[in-house]
Amino acid sequence: EAGVTQFPSHSVIEKGQTVTLRCDPISGHDNLYWYRRVMGKEIKFLLHFVKESKQDESGMPNNRFLAERTGGTYSTLKVQPAELEDSGVYFCASSHILGDGNTIYFGEGSWLTVV
Amino acid sequence: QKEVEQNSGPLSVPEGAIASLNCTYSDRVSQSFFWYRQYSGKSPELIMSIYSNGDKEDGRFTAQLNKASQYVSLLIRDSQPSDSATYLCAGGAAGNKLTFGGGTRVLVKP
């Protein structure tokens, strides 16, 4: 069974440009999460989808970030326009159900560098 | 105060010894906890979850939760060089939203 896959693995863009990150969750997982780790900080929650609906987007830093999950399968996270402080690792994660005993599986992350 | 705090390390242990990792959390964090292991450039991988006070053992790993002291720990027995990684402590909340600590880097020396 394929794990959570993310694309691209690495991206270097200039300030002001747009970047779109993609996440393919494990097949059948209704819950999809985006997290981010910026340099020197802990991994922080961005948002949570249940199927195609945004369940919790309390961690989204500002309106330059737009996440979508059309059809409830893969998700994209767009940063437009990118700023220097957006550099970091963006992790996607998925899980089958909610609640205790459920495992959240992470992808390897998309490393974003804004120059 | 951070919601979940860990010593960044590195924690250096000789092969075969016990590695002891600690994590404290604030009132804002839920009462379910997870330990993830992350190798450099790889995805965080869940190794232990603990929901109630006391100890939970799984192979060479033991997690301990003390809700009164707001403290969760992870012991790695018979440490191997392959255990060298960053260990992330995370608190879980509704919707399985995780709050992570900064991670503790563990170095097991042969």
Side-chain angles (χ1 to χ4, degrees):
Chain A
E1 180 184 291
V4 177
T5 56
Q6 294 186 243
F7 182 83
S9 57
H10 291 80
S11 182
V12 180
I13 63 170
E14 292 184 352
K15 176 182 170 181
Q17 288 187 321
T18 297
V19 63
T20 300
L21 310 177
R22 173 173 168 143
C23 169
D24 285 80
I26 292 172
S27 178
H29 282 192
D30 287 340
N31 296 282
L32 187 149
Y33 309 83
W34 283 98
Y35 285 82
R36 175 175 78 164
R37 184 168 198 165
V38 297
M39 184 70 72
K41 301 285 188 181
E42 61 274 13
I43 298 172
K44 283 199 179 264
F45 170 84
L46 296 180
L47 89 161
H48 170 206
F49 283 100
V50 177
K51 296 185 180 178
E52 67 275 7
S53 300
K54 290 176 186 174
Q55 184 77 13
D56 180 352
E57 50 184 331
S58 60
M60 293 288 265
N62 52 61
N63 60 10
R64 294 186 295 102
F65 289 76
L66 174 65
E68 294 180 317
R69 193 184 182 195
T70 307
T73 54
Y74 71 91
S75 174
T76 58
L77 179 65
K78 182 193 286 189
V79 185
Q80 179 183 30
E83 298 290 344
L84 298 179
E85 64 264 25
D86 300 333
S87 296
V89 187
Y90 290 78
F91 290 103
C92 178
S94 72
S95 69
H96 179 45
I97 57 173
L98 297 178
D100 289 352
N102 181 42
T103 298
I104 298 174
Y105 297 89
F106 280 79
E108 293 193 344
S110 288
W111 293 68
L112 173 64
T113 302
V114 183
V115 297
Chain B
Q1 182 196 6
K2 288 184 179 178
E3 293 180 319
V4 177
E5 293 209 61
Q6 297 180 254
N7 188 317
S8 61
L11 175 66
S12 186
V13 296
E15 184 175 358
I18 296 175
S20 177
L21 292 81
N22 303 314
C23 174
T24 57
Y25 61 91
S26 73
D27 289 337
R28 291 172 288 172
V29 177
S30 178
Q31 300 284 294
S32 56
F33 295 90
F34 307 87
W35 283 100
Y36 281 82
R37 177 178 62 199
Q38 187 180 22
Y39 294 112
S40 182
K42 298 296 183 183
S43 57
E45 173 194 8
L46 181 68
I47 53 172
M48 288 287 285
S49 58
I50 186 165
Y51 307 102
S52 54
N53 269 335
D55 295 357
K56 180 181 177 183
E57 188 174 317
D58 184 359
R60 296 186 295 110
F61 299 101
T62 298
Q64 184 177 52
L65 176 60
N66 184 324
K67 293 184 180 180
S69 301
Q70 294 182 302
Y71 172 95
V72 59
S73 65
L74 179 71
L75 296 178
I76 307 173
R77 287 181 300 281
D78 188 23
S79 295
Q80 302 298 308
S82 59
D83 294 326
S84 297
T86 296
Y87 289 79
L88 302 164
C89 172
N96 284 17
K97 174 180 172 178
L98 298 176
T99 301
F100 283 91
T104 298
R105 195 157 66 93
V106 172
L107 220 59
V108 180
K109 296 185 174 179

